[in-house]
Structure formats: structure tokens, C-alpha cells
Amino acid sequence: MSLPRFSVRNIVPVNLVMIAVLIAGCFAAITIRRQFFPEVKPDGAIVRLYLPGASPEQLEDTMAIKVEDALAGMREVDEIRTN
């Protein structure tokens, strides 16, 4: 027996299945978890500092130490490496 023939001959079970599918869809639409910005926990970050024409010592004195001090004050930071 084909599906269209079954649907025409057995109207009540087909309508009950349709109502069950609609109720399940409404329930899923209401309870689904939606987030515009999902929660992300990054493992690390890289900060690159550029100062064209400066020596490594100047870059360390003017920028790197300040960035390290600012990052050291954050409790989420476990490790700081400077190259």
C-alpha cells in the first residue's frame, strides 16, 4: 500500500501524527538553547608588538614590559612568555 492511499483511507491516524509533529516542533523551538555569542574559552593568546626602526631593547623598554605588567594583573593569565 502506498503512503498517499494510506493517508486518504486513514485520516484520523495521519492527523494525529501531524499534530504530534507540530507539538514536538513547538516544544523544540521553545526549549532550544540560542546564543548570539556562544561561550568560548580560549586556550591562549598571542600579542605581537611592532615598532618599526626600534631596537629590541627599545621595544622591550617602551612596550613589552608595560604589556607584561598589565597581563600579570589579570587572574585568568597563567603564563606569560616574551621572545
Side-chain angles (χ1 to χ4, degrees):
M1 186 181 291
S2 69
L3 185 61
R5 185 175 295 150
F6 176 80
S7 300
V8 170
R9 289 188 180 170
N10 302 307
I11 296 172
V12 175
V14 172
N15 284 333
L16 288 176
V17 169
M18 181 184 66
I19 290 171
V21 168
L22 289 174
I23 291 172
C26 290
F27 178 74
I30 292 170
T31 60
I32 193 168
R33 183 176 176 185
R34 295 177 296 269
Q35 287 186 340
F36 189 71
F37 293 111
E39 189 174 321
V40 177
K41 296 181 182 178
D43 292 334
I46 296 174
V47 178
R48 295 184 185 205
L49 305 172
Y50 295 101
L51 191 59
S55 68
E57 292 81 17
Q58 289 174 332
L59 184 63
E60 180 181 13
D61 291 338
T62 59
M63 296 170 64
I65 293 175
K66 294 177 184 177
V67 171
E68 287 176 357
D69 291 341
L71 290 175
M74 299 175 70
R75 60 185 156 100
E76 294 91 6
V77 176
D78 295 330
E79 180 182 355
I80 300 172
R81 286 186 283 166
T82 304
N83 295 332

mmCIF file of all heavy atoms in Angstrom, residues 12 24 31-33 44-45 58 67 75:
data_model
loop_
_atom_site.group_PDB
_atom_site.id
_atom_site.type_symbol
_atom_site.label_atom_id
_atom_site.label_comp_id
_atom_site.label_asym_id
_atom_site.label_seq_id
_atom_site.Cartn_x
_atom_site.Cartn_y
_atom_site.Cartn_z
ATOM 1 N N VAL A 12 -7.718 9.821 10.428
ATOM 2 C CA VAL A 12 -7.502 10.104 11.851
ATOM 3 C C VAL A 12 -6.053 9.828 12.270
ATOM 4 O O VAL A 12 -5.419 10.695 12.888
ATOM 5 C CB VAL A 12 -8.515 9.318 12.721
ATOM 6 C CG1 VAL A 12 -8.204 9.512 14.193
ATOM 7 C CG2 VAL A 12 -9.935 9.758 12.421
ATOM 8 N N ALA A 24 5.681 18.631 18.890
ATOM 9 C CA ALA A 24 7.105 18.396 19.139
ATOM 10 C C ALA A 24 7.946 19.540 18.570
ATOM 11 O O ALA A 24 8.923 19.975 19.194
ATOM 12 C CB ALA A 24 7.535 17.064 18.525
ATOM 13 N N THR A 31 12.278 25.360 23.696
ATOM 14 C CA THR A 31 13.309 24.923 24.637
ATOM 15 C C THR A 31 14.717 24.904 24.076
ATOM 16 O O THR A 31 15.662 24.669 24.826
ATOM 17 C CB THR A 31 12.988 23.516 25.165
ATOM 18 O OG1 THR A 31 12.939 22.617 24.062
ATOM 19 C CG2 THR A 31 11.680 23.506 25.914
ATOM 20 N N ILE A 32 14.895 25.166 22.788
ATOM 21 C CA ILE A 32 16.230 25.108 22.204
ATOM 22 C C ILE A 32 17.088 26.240 22.772
ATOM 23 O O ILE A 32 16.612 27.342 23.033
ATOM 24 C CB ILE A 32 16.158 25.169 20.665
ATOM 25 C CG1 ILE A 32 17.495 24.803 20.056
ATOM 26 C CG2 ILE A 32 15.752 26.552 20.199
ATOM 27 C CD1 ILE A 32 17.404 24.554 18.551
ATOM 28 N N ARG A 33 18.350 25.959 22.977
ATOM 29 C CA ARG A 33 19.273 26.950 23.521
ATOM 30 C C ARG A 33 19.822 27.792 22.369
ATOM 31 O O ARG A 33 20.455 27.287 21.452
ATOM 32 C CB ARG A 33 20.413 26.238 24.249
ATOM 33 C CG ARG A 33 21.364 27.187 24.900
ATOM 34 C CD ARG A 33 22.409 26.438 25.689
ATOM 35 N NE ARG A 33 23.365 27.382 26.233
ATOM 36 C CZ ARG A 33 24.438 27.039 26.884
ATOM 37 N NH1 ARG A 33 24.693 25.770 27.087
ATOM 38 N NH2 ARG A 33 25.251 27.939 27.346
ATOM 39 N N GLY A 44 44.755 30.095 24.705
ATOM 40 C CA GLY A 44 45.893 31.008 24.735
ATOM 41 C C GLY A 44 45.680 32.188 23.818
ATOM 42 O O GLY A 44 44.718 32.248 23.058
ATOM 43 N N ALA A 45 46.592 33.126 23.903
ATOM 44 C CA ALA A 45 46.541 34.308 23.054
ATOM 45 C C ALA A 45 47.967 34.713 22.700
ATOM 46 O O ALA A 45 48.905 34.454 23.452
ATOM 47 C CB ALA A 45 45.838 35.455 23.765
ATOM 48 N N GLN A 58 64.809 48.780 22.897
ATOM 49 C CA GLN A 58 63.838 49.869 22.924
ATOM 50 C C GLN A 58 62.405 49.325 22.946
ATOM 51 O O GLN A 58 61.550 49.840 23.666
ATOM 52 C CB GLN A 58 64.012 50.776 21.705
ATOM 53 C CG GLN A 58 65.265 51.624 21.723
ATOM 54 C CD GLN A 58 65.431 52.384 20.414
ATOM 55 O OE1 GLN A 58 64.968 51.931 19.362
ATOM 56 N NE2 GLN A 58 66.108 53.524 20.489
ATOM 57 N N VAL A 67 53.078 45.804 28.659
ATOM 58 C CA VAL A 67 52.079 44.774 28.338
ATOM 59 C C VAL A 67 52.174 43.629 29.342
ATOM 60 O O VAL A 67 51.150 43.123 29.819
ATOM 61 C CB VAL A 67 52.268 44.268 26.888
ATOM 62 C CG1 VAL A 67 51.395 43.055 26.611
ATOM 63 C CG2 VAL A 67 51.965 45.373 25.898
ATOM 64 N N ARG A 75 43.827 37.777 36.716
ATOM 65 C CA ARG A 75 43.882 36.478 37.397
ATOM 66 C C ARG A 75 43.665 35.306 36.453
ATOM 67 O O ARG A 75 43.964 34.171 36.788
ATOM 68 C CB ARG A 75 42.884 36.428 38.536
ATOM 69 C CG ARG A 75 41.467 36.611 38.155
ATOM 70 C CD ARG A 75 40.583 36.663 39.399
ATOM 71 N NE ARG A 75 39.368 37.372 39.108
ATOM 72 C CZ ARG A 75 38.218 36.781 38.852
ATOM 73 N NH1 ARG A 75 38.126 35.487 38.883
ATOM 74 N NH2 ARG A 75 37.146 37.495 38.574
#
